Amino acid sequence: MTGELSPIDTAKFVAARRAADMVQSGMRVGLGTGSTAAWLVRCLAEAVRERDLHFRGVPTSTRTAEMARDLGLEVITLEEAGWLDITIDGADEFDGELNLIKGGGGALLHEKIVASASDRMVVIADAAKEVESLGAFPLPVEVIPFGWKATQTLIDEALTAMDVMGKTIELRPGADGPYRTDEGNLILDLKLTRIGNPRQLAMVLNQVPGVVENGLFVDICDQVVIGHADGRVTLRDVTADTVSEEQYDVGGDGNAFGDLGE
């Protein structure tokens, strides 16, 4: 990579670099999916080269698995790992209680399984992902292909009793027909604008026949690492109820990022 990073990529990079420092040799690590998680994989590959870090990664998608292998990281399955020490992943939105919306990249089912099978889940995000109330980002719901239109109707009926501002539901498109997850399922994107009670909505959605999982991550995230365009990193820990801040020297010539590759 050459030249300067954009402000948003700088924020993602410093968040990923701080989270990569949490990984210690011998750990079993869940590797998330998405643009910020991709920065994490690059930072971990750099740590393997520069500080002789040894760990085994469990990717949450085929995309992350391919990237990790290409960068020389050891990749195993969740079955082989058994249980994880830490999962580090991005988020489409998070609120003050570290409730999340995830699944913009289509891997919400694997992401939730991996995060739930970890001692600790850490979210890495740029500051723009923090919201007062979840819902501005469409909520992904993974559904089986059979009878998906009936499932959509049932979801629409269920939303009538929920504390949400809107209830538009769209089938996510892919490159050639509907988008398909790694499990071959479909995704319905719920445009709700505001979600008043994420915990209640998550429970109700998962009771609808045909729904596999939803993108609300409630009581799963332990820490969030927030990156800023000026190189600052804010670390918020919901369990310890602490907030700390660090500063990274990002420079102006892009040299700090040159060894990460494209």
Side-chain angles (χ1 to χ4, degrees):
M1 174 172 42
T2 60
E4 295 183 10
L5 292 177
S6 67
I8 189 68
D9 279 335
T10 298
K12 292 178 179 181
F13 168 77
V14 293
R17 171 155 281 185
R18 177 62 182 86
D21 290 340
M22 299 178 181
V23 177
Q24 301 174 7
S25 285
M27 279 187 168
R28 294 158 296 180
V29 181
L31 303 175
T33 296
S35 60
T36 311
W39 280 109
L40 171 74
V41 175
R42 293 169 178 166
C43 289
L44 287 172
E46 179 188 41
V48 168
R49 295 193 304 269
E50 295 192 354
R51 59 183 173 96
D52 199 28
L53 177 68
H54 298 281
F55 74 95
R56 292 179 295 169
V58 175
T60 54
S61 67
T62 54
R63 283 170 291 159
T64 298
E66 290 170 359
M67 181 180 186
R69 290 192 184 99
D70 288 345
L71 291 173
L73 300 182
E74 182 180 357
V75 171
I76 60 174
T77 66
L78 184 57
E79 287 70 31
E80 291 171 322
W83 195 260
L84 304 177
D85 298 288
I86 188 173
T87 287
I88 306 173
D89 202 349
D92 299 304
E93 284 186 346
F94 67 92
D95 65 15
E97 297 180 357
L98 303 196
N99 298 314
L100 320 171
I101 286 182
K102 289 181 52 55
L108 64 103
L109 175 61
H110 288 192
E111 289 172 334
K112 190 172 282 191
I113 292 172
V114 169
S116 299
S118 306
D119 287 338
R120 179 167 48 132
M121 183 196 184
V122 176
V123 160
I124 49 177
D126 59 271
K129 298 298 187 347
E130 183 171 11
V131 296
E132 186 173 336
S133 298
L134 299 180
F137 191 92
L139 173 64
V141 178
E142 186 164 340
V143 302
I144 65 170
F146 176 80
W148 72 265
K149 288 188 177 180
T151 300
Q152 178 177 340
T153 299
L154 292 170
I155 291 174
D156 185 71
E157 293 176 354
L159 289 175
T160 302
M162 296 292 99
D163 183 10
V164 296
M165 189 172 293
K167 56 175 207 167
T168 301
I169 305 174
E170 296 181 356
L171 180 66
R172 183 177 297 185
D176 184 19
Y179 177 87
R180 296 277 179 165
T181 70
D182 281 354
E183 296 295 327
N185 295 319
L186 307 175
I187 289 184
L188 297 175
D189 286 314
L190 280 52
K191 298 184 177 181
L192 307 177
T193 308
R194 182 189 62 81
I195 300 172
N197 191 330
R199 180 177 287 100
Q200 180 188 45
L201 180 58
M203 293 176 60
V204 168
L205 287 173
N206 279 3
Q207 292 175 352
V208 174
V211 170
V212 179
E213 190 52 83
N214 69 84
L216 285 167
F217 284 51
V218 179
D219 296 331
I220 295 177
C221 177
D222 299 293
Q223 294 174 301
V224 60
V225 182
I226 307 167
H228 304 269
D230 61 1
R232 285 181 299 118
V233 173
T234 303
L235 177 60
R236 190 176 303 163
D237 190 318
V238 69
T239 55
D241 193 25
T242 58
V243 178
S244 60
E245 191 167 285
E246 301 174 14
Q247 178 72 48
Y248 281 83
D249 181 11
V250 297
D253 58 4
N255 291 338
F257 315 99
D259 54 358
L260 293 181
E262 287 291 351

